Amino acid sequence: MPCILLTGATGYIASHTWLALLEAGWDVVGIDNFCNSSPRVLERLAELSGRVPSFVEGDVRDAQSLDRAFALGQQRWGGVQAVVHFAALKAVGESTEKPLEYFANNIGGLVATCQALQRHTAADQPLRMVFSSSATVYGKPEQLPIREDAPLSATNPYGATKLMGEQILAELQRCDARWLIASLRYFNPVGAHPSGRIGEDPRGVPNNLMPYVAQVAVGQRERLNVFGQDYDTPDGTGVRDYIHICDLADGHVAALRHLFEQGRSLTVNLGTGRGYSVLEVARAYEKASGREVPLHFAPRRPGDVDACYADPTLAAQALGWRARRDIDDMCADSWRWQSQNPRGFNG
Ligand code: NAD
Ligand code: UD1
C-alpha cells in the first residue's frame, strides 16, 4: 500500500486520520511542529496501532524539515505517494488579531508543502494532495443544505486562507495536469476515538461548542454560554452540521482512494447533511454524560450564521462515503475522552 505524509500530524483531525489509514493498511509518515498539539499523541498512536509512528518534528514552512519527512517515507516505505495537508492555524478570532501569522502559516505552509511534494516526486508521476478546507468558505450561506457549487466568500482571515488555499491548488491543476487535488470542506468535526485515548485537546478556553460543553459537563467550567437565541432556526439557537471525527477520518481514506483509483481531482463537502441546534447538542451531551449542562443565554457571537449544514450527496456519489455515526455517538465518545482525560494529553 502507498505511503501517505500527514502534515499537522499530531493535531485533532490528523491523529484520527492516521489511525484510520493504518487500519485501512496504508503506511503513514507525519510531520508537526507541536504549535497546537502534544508529543504525547505519538505515544497514544503507538499504543492504539501497535506500531511506532514514523514522525519528524518540524515546521512545514521549512523546506529542510519537509525534506526529512519525505526522506523518512523513502527510507521506511519506498517513498511518499500522497500528502494530506492538515497543518494550519485555525482560530477565527485570533486570525482577525494576527492576520499575517495566519497568511504566513497557512498559505506559506501550503506552498512549501506543494513544493516539497513536487521536489520528491518523479517527473512522470502524479502529485496527489488532500487539502483540509472548511465549510467556512461558504461565508453566509444563501441556501441550505449547502452544495459544493454554492457561492464562496471569506468573512475573516482564517476563512480567507482556506479559500486561497483552494484557489492555489486549483491554479496548480490548471498549469500542470499531474496535480491531483482533493479539497475537503469539513463541516463541524466533534467527538473522539471510541477508545477514549485520543481526542480534541484545545489550549485555553475552547472556541468551539462541543469541547466547551464537555468541559462544563466534567466540571471545569460553570455553564455554557449560548451565543444568541434569536436566530432564524426552530429553537432560536445556531444550527450546525456536527460530524463524528472518525467519520471524517474515514472520509480522508475515501478521498485518497479516489485520487489513487480514479485519478481525478475533486472538491467535496464532508458533513452529515443534518443540523443540530446548540440546545439540542447540550441536551444530547447531558444524556450521554449523565451530567447537567447549565445554560446561560448570551449575545450573538460576531460573524456567526443562523444555520449551516451540508448537502452530502456528492461525497456519497463520488467517494462512496457517508457519515455513519449520530449525535449520541458523538457525545458519548467525546464524553469518554473528556472524562478519562480531564486535562487532555497532560492529564
Ligand atoms: P489542530 O490544531 O488540532 O491540528 C493542526 C496541527 O497542525 C497541529 O498539531 C499543529 O501543531 C500543526 N501545525 C500548525 N502549523 C504548523 C506548521 N507550520 N508546521 C507544522 N505543523 C503545524 O486542528 P484540527 O482541528 O485538527 O484541524 C486540521 C485542519 O483542518 C486545519 O487545516 C484546519 O484549518 C482544518 N479544519 C478544521 C476544522 C475544525 O473544526 N477542527 C474545521 C474545518 C477545517
Ligand atoms: C467555527 C468557526 C468556523 C470554523 C468552525 C470549525 C467562528 C465564527 N466560526 O464555526 O470558521 O470553520 O468553527 O472549527 O468562530 N456556541 C455557543 N457557545 C459556545 C460556543 C459555540 O453557543 O461557547 C454556538 C455558536 O454560536 C454556533 C454553534 O455553537 O451557533 C457552533 O459553534 P462552533 O463550534 O464555534 O462552530 P461554528 O460556529 O460552526
Side-chain angles (χ1 to χ4, degrees), residues 217 282-293 331 335:
R283 267 185 237 115
Y285 213 96
E286 286 185 326
K287 189 172 123 198
S289 63
R291 301 286 180 93
E292 208 192 329
V293 177
C331 294
W335 175 243

Side-chain angles (χ1 to χ4, degrees), residues 47-199:
E47 170 197 314
L48 289 168
S49 67
R51 295 168 63 171
V52 179
S54 301
F55 179 79
V56 167
E57 180 177 351
D59 193 305
V60 293
R61 287 168 293 175
D62 171 35
Q64 284 180 351
S65 296
L66 281 167
D67 286 345
R68 280 195 288 132
F70 277 91
L72 186 60
Q74 180 70 43
Q75 183 196 325
R76 297 253 167 100
W77 321 109
V80 168
Q81 293 178 40
V83 175
V84 187
H85 184 60
F86 292 102
L89 303 176
K90 63 163 184 176
V92 172
E94 186 187 60
S95 81
T96 64
E97 287 151 27
K98 305 175 182 169
L100 286 171
E101 271 187 39
Y102 274 68
F103 293 127
N105 199 74
N106 295 7
I107 302 297
L110 172 65
V111 171
T113 302
C114 289
Q115 286 173 321
L117 175 59
Q118 198 168 42
R119 229 175 13 257
H120 291 273
T121 305
D124 60 344
Q125 290 299 308
L127 298 155
R128 300 182 189 91
M129 164 81 89
V130 176
F131 176 59
S132 292
S133 188
S134 165
T136 192
V137 300
Y138 295 117
K140 194 171 167 24
E142 286 163 18
Q143 270 193 339
L144 293 168
I146 309 175
R147 284 163 42 117
E148 286 80 355
D149 55 6
L152 305 180
S153 67
T155 50
N156 54 66
Y158 167 71
T161 67
K162 292 297 161 188
L163 201 48
M164 285 181 214
E166 286 196 13
Q167 286 164 348
I168 288 168
L169 294 170
E171 281 306 323
L172 289 181
Q173 273 171 75
R174 264 193 285 277
C175 298
D176 180 349
R178 286 196 303 148
W179 284 98
L180 295 176
I181 312 285
S183 284
L184 307 182
R185 294 178 178 159
Y186 313 150
F187 279 68
N188 292 58
V190 296
H193 191 265
S195 64
R197 300 298 287 160
I198 56 170

Side-chain angles (χ1 to χ4, degrees), residues 90 92-93 134-136 156 158-159 186-189 206-212 224-228 231 237-240 242 278 301-306 308:
K90 63 163 184 176
V92 172
S134 165
T136 192
N156 54 66
Y158 167 71
Y186 313 150
F187 279 68
N188 292 58
N207 295 312
N208 297 118
L209 177 65
M210 179 90 61
Y212 200 102
L224 171 67
N225 296 307
V226 179
F227 297 145
Y231 282 110
T237 65
V239 165
R240 298 292 184 274
Y242 299 95
V278 175
R301 183 173 65 177
D304 272 356
V305 298
D306 302 70
C308 175

Side-chain angles (χ1 to χ4, degrees), residues 289-331:
S289 63
R291 301 286 180 93
E292 208 192 329
V293 177
L295 305 180
H296 168 74
F297 288 93
R300 288 182 175 205
R301 183 173 65 177
D304 272 356
V305 298
D306 302 70
C308 175
Y309 48 93
D311 181 337
T313 309
L314 180 62
Q317 282 171 351
L319 305 180
W321 170 93
R322 55 169 54 86
R324 292 186 291 120
R325 297 156 178 96
D326 65 15
I327 191 78
D328 294 329
D329 300 321
M330 300 178 211
C331 294

